[in-house]
Amino acid sequence: MTMKDKVRQTMGGAREKLGSVTGNRRLEASGRMQRRRAQVAEVAHDLRSKASRLVRDVQVRRRPDGPADPL
């Protein structure tokens, strides 16, 4: 999760609300799109982080001088 994604989610949500209040469907739709894109980017970032941690853990366990196997 990055701060940039959180800011984009917030801005998109604000645009969506403003469009809803003013009856501007185009603004509402663009705000919804911005918010959802930021949510997808956040999830993708979290998945990349978890995958890289998993790969790093596997590499450490496969080293001959790595930590002992708990089994």
Side-chain angles (χ1 to χ4, degrees):
M1 158 176 40
T2 64
M3 184 59 80
K4 186 189 302 184
D5 295 331
K6 286 294 185 186
V7 168
R8 285 184 179 156
Q9 282 183 34
T10 303
M11 293 299 294
R15 288 174 70 183
E16 188 177 1
K17 293 280 186 197
L18 182 61
S20 177
V21 167
T22 61
N24 186 337
R25 293 188 323 191
R26 188 176 291 170
L27 182 61
E28 184 179 358
S30 69
R32 186 178 309 114
M33 181 74 76
Q34 183 179 8
R35 182 176 52 84
R36 295 230 171 112
R37 280 183 180 167
Q39 287 173 338
V40 168
E42 183 180 359
V43 168
H45 181 267
D46 290 344
L47 286 174
R48 276 193 307 269
S49 295
K50 288 178 183 179
S52 66
R53 270 187 256 132
L54 180 64
V55 167
R56 196 173 329 119
D57 288 346
V58 168
Q59 288 172 342
V60 166
R61 288 175 192 239
R62 294 196 59 171
R63 272 192 226 150
D65 60 337
D69 202 9
L71 299 176

